[in-house]
């Protein structure tokens, strides 16, 4: 709850301003400062936010086009002229508090990211955390540049599921002493209009999916399933043969397609526009249809998934099941040795990389740390010369590249500027050089590196994180487990342990999983399957039972790291975080609630 919700007990702005100054100086605070405001200031300090705003633009995450913005843009374009020439601004963020759209001449400098980790306390972060309207005024903010700003934010929800999609914020000059924020009605009305637009588009997309499903049933005359993440359409034939486990596996594969495609590329003549509408198309097989295996006991061995498009976005997928007794399907993605995984996101990425690697031209592999970029690159290039930019500089390697030998550069984001300039010059002269580059996004690249990335962007592949392909966990466990010593059984896992492994977010991706498997194999002195109790604390505890806000995710991760650093001692962990032990206990209970 914010002080905006309790106007009768809000301290004066002058007293809050003085309390903030004392806090920044590290001095004791006077009585009467709301606990939630002090806690917000402490979180900002814990996250390393500078009150003067230094470094904010470097930490901000750039938001891409999103379905929320696509639906909201007509509403925002209608509302924007009503702001007039006054000092009022209107902002739309996504569920990660990245700014998707902003307009107006409101006070304070704009910021592309409103998460607490970047800018500290603000109304958008509070609204997303509390799931209701929130106001933050002047010195309640942590940043200096918002000390004379009042803002009100309203969450935007998916109309059918209630899922939080983002926030609408109205900011104006400081007005806390004058009662409720004058922009609250505008923020509420804008959020309601955006939700109405989302509902209308959702119903249109459902109709498109239904039409695609009916066409597939009529054309194939056999088992067909259509899913969009909210509902399932299952033909009678599919219901007779498909087990619940098989249906769940099919739905995961379909949702993987929806997630990975997002906003689909322009559809050409080959896509075959559906006659019912110019914005609807079923992508044809085999170019945009994908075969997936189904687990044993599913009732059939495999299915063919086809994404369904509506106004350029993938809104769902139609799956046609193989008849019972059909031979087992093999992956359409190239079989790359040493890289386990059969999930749709992984096969799409590997297949695309293998296709690009058929021609000896530069190739950029992008992904989080530990996603397998280097392993894939080694398989795609024949006897490459490998250089790790984190450990050494380019010397004679560019000469080898100029003479036609493949060069693999790991961690190109760590490359010295002079070496990056050398590569840019070489690619200008020889755009077809056999160069493979791995890049882990992080801090914004400098102009020289950005030029290199722009040059390679047309031939780039982004590898999915492990949390985006949990279906591959079991196969990866088998591939990563070391060969057992003579007389000892191979490493196996209980179902409970497998479930915990599949639910863990894996910030270190496959590399983190490999370290876990290796450590267990080396230190185990017992036989039998690995149980959940043997897994590390963060994996064993699993994700929180209820959805957490971005702020809670950051807090929970910080608390778990502190507990691990101090051997599980909660008193020491609380002291290192600058919070009371009772607060730490309360937060841990809250994450499980």
């Amino acid at each position: 709850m914010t002080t905006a919700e309790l106007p009768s007990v809000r301290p004066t702005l002058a007293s809050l301003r003085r309390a903030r100054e004392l806090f920044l100086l590290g001095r004791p605070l006077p009585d009467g400062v709301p606990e939630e405001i002090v806690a917000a200031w402490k979180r900002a300090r814990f996250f390393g936010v500078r009150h003067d705003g230094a470094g904010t633009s470097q930490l901000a995450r750039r938001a891409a086009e999103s379905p929320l913005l696509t639906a909201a843009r007509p509403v925002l374009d209608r509302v924007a002229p009503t702001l007039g020439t006054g000092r009022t601004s209107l902002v739309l963020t996504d569920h990660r508090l990245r700014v998707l759209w902003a307009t107006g001449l409101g006070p304070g400098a704009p910021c592309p990211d409103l998460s607490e980790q970047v800018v500290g306390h603000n109304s958008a972060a509070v609204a997303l955390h509390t799931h209701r309207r929130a106001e933050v005024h002047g010195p309640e903010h942590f940043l200096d540049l918002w000390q004379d700003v009042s803002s009100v934010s309203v969450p935007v929800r998916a109309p059918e599921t209630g899922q939080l999609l983002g926030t609408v914020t109205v900011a104006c000059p400081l007005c806390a002493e004058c009662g409720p924020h004058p922009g609250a009605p505008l923020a509420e009305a804008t959020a309601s209009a955006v939700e109405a637009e989302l509902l209308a588009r959702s119903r249109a997309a459902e109709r498109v999916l239904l039409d695609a499903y009916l066409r597939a049933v009529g054309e194939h005359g056999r088992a067909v399933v259509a899913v969009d993440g909210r509902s399932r359409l299952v033909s009678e034939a599919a219901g007779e043969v498909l087990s619940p486990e098989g249906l769940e596996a099919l739905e995961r594969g379909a949702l993987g397609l929806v997630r990975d495609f997002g906003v689909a590329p322009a559809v050409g003549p080959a896509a075959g526009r559906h006659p019912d509408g110019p914005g609807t198309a079923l992508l044809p097989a085999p170019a945009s249809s994908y075969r997936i295996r189904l687990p044993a006991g599913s009732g059939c061995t495999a299915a063919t998934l086809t994404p369904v498009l509506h106004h350029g976005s993938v809104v769902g997928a139609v799956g046609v099941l193989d008849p019972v007794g059909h031979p087992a399907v093999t992956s359409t993605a190239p079989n790359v040795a040493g890289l386990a995984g059969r999930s749709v996101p992984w096969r799409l990425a590997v297949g695309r990389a293998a296709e690009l690697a058929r021609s000896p031209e530069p190739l950029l592999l992008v992904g989080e740390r530990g996603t397998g970029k280097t392993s894939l690159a080694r398989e795609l290039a024949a006897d490459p010369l490998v250089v790790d930019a984190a450990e050494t500089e380019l010397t004679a390697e560019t000469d080898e590249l100029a003479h036609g030998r493949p060069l693999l550069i790991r961690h190109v984001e760590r490359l010295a500027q002079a070496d990056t300039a050398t590569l840019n010059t070489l690619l200008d002269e020889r755009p077809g050089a056999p160069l493979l580059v791995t890049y882990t996004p992080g801090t914004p690249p400098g102009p020289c590196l950005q030029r290199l990335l722009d040059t390679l962007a047309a031939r780039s592949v982004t590898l999915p994180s492990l949390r985006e392909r949990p279906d591959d966990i079991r196969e990866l466990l088998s591939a990563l487990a070391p060969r057992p010593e003579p007389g000892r059984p191979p490493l196996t896992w209980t179902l409970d342990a497998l479930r915990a492994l599949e639910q863990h977010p894996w910030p270190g991706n496959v590399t983190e999983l490999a370290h876990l498997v290796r450590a267990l194999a080396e230190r185990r002195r017992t036989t039998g399957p690995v149980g959940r109790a043997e897994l590390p604390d963060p994996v064993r505890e699993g994700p929180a039972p209820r959805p957490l806000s971005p702020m809670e995710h950051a807090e929970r991760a910080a608390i778990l790291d502190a507990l691990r650093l101090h051997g599980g001692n909660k008193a020491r962990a609380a002291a290192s975080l600058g919070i009371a032990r009772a607060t730490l206990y309360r937060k841990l209970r809250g994450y499980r609630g």
Side-chain angles (χ1 to χ4, degrees), residues 19 324 408 546 588:
V324 177
L408 166 57
R546 63 179 176 85
L588 288 176

Side-chain angles (χ1 to χ4, degrees), residues 319-374:
V320 179
L321 307 182
D322 285 352
V324 177
H326 191 279
V329 67
T330 57
S331 172
T332 56
N335 182 20
V336 180
L339 296 171
R342 301 177 185 272
S343 65
V344 171
W346 180 246
R347 291 193 296 111
L348 287 174
V350 173
R352 172 65 174 162
E355 180 183 350
L356 292 174
R358 292 192 184 103
S359 59
E361 297 177 54
L363 175 60
L364 173 64
L365 297 179
V366 182
E368 297 177 8
R369 61 186 177 90
T371 48
K373 302 183 293 294
T374 300

Side-chain angles (χ1 to χ4, degrees), residues 235-495:
S235 70
E236 183 177 353
E240 292 176 354
V241 300
L242 196 60
S243 69
E245 294 77 14
L247 181 59
E248 184 179 346
L250 183 63
E251 187 167 37
R252 284 199 302 268
L255 295 182
L257 280 179
V258 175
R259 180 179 62 247
D260 293 333
F261 274 94
V263 178
V267 181
R273 294 282 189 181
H274 186 254
D276 292 344
T280 305
L282 258 181
L283 296 177
S288 296
S289 293
Y290 301 93
R291 304 270 283 166
I292 66 168
R293 290 181 183 273
L294 296 178
S298 296
C300 56
T301 57
T304 300
L305 285 176
T306 304
V308 179
L309 294 176
H310 179 57
H311 292 306
S313 296
V314 178
V315 297
V318 172
V320 179
L321 307 182
D322 285 352
V324 177
H326 191 279
V329 67
T330 57
S331 172
T332 56
N335 182 20
V336 180
L339 296 171
R342 301 177 185 272
S343 65
V344 171
W346 180 246
R347 291 193 296 111
L348 287 174
V350 173
R352 172 65 174 162
E355 180 183 350
L356 292 174
R358 292 192 184 103
S359 59
E361 297 177 54
L363 175 60
L364 173 64
L365 297 179
V366 182
E368 297 177 8
R369 61 186 177 90
T371 48
K373 302 183 293 294
T374 300
S375 298
L376 178 58
R378 289 180 184 274
E379 296 292 342
L380 295 175
D383 188 29
L385 182 62
V386 182
V387 175
D388 191 333
E391 300 176 355
T392 185
E393 298 180 354
L394 291 178
T395 51
E397 287 81 0
T398 52
D399 294 334
E400 295 278 349
L401 178 62
H403 288 91
R405 183 179 178 185
L407 174 62
L408 166 57
I409 301 178
R410 302 180 61 213
H411 306 124
V412 71
E413 67 278 2
R414 306 281 292 275
L415 204 60
Q417 185 169 344
D419 290 335
T420 308
T422 300
L423 277 180
N424 282 326
T425 302
L426 189 147
L427 291 177
D428 288 341
E429 299 172 352
R430 294 194 58 203
L435 174 67
L436 285 86
V437 171
T438 71
Y439 173 65
T440 303
T443 57
C448 199
L449 176 57
Q450 186 62 61
R451 180 188 168 196
L452 176 63
L453 296 175
D454 292 342
T455 300
L456 301 175
R459 291 176 52 82
S460 66
V461 177
T462 300
L463 300 190
S465 63
L466 187 53
R467 62 182 172 276
E468 294 174 308
R469 53 187 191 109
D471 294 348
D472 292 337
I473 292 285
R474 302 190 184 200
E475 187 172 339
L476 283 165
L477 290 173
S478 299
L480 297 172
R483 181 173 298 179
E485 299 177 0
R488 292 183 63 86
L491 207 59
T492 56
W493 311 80
T494 65
L495 289 177

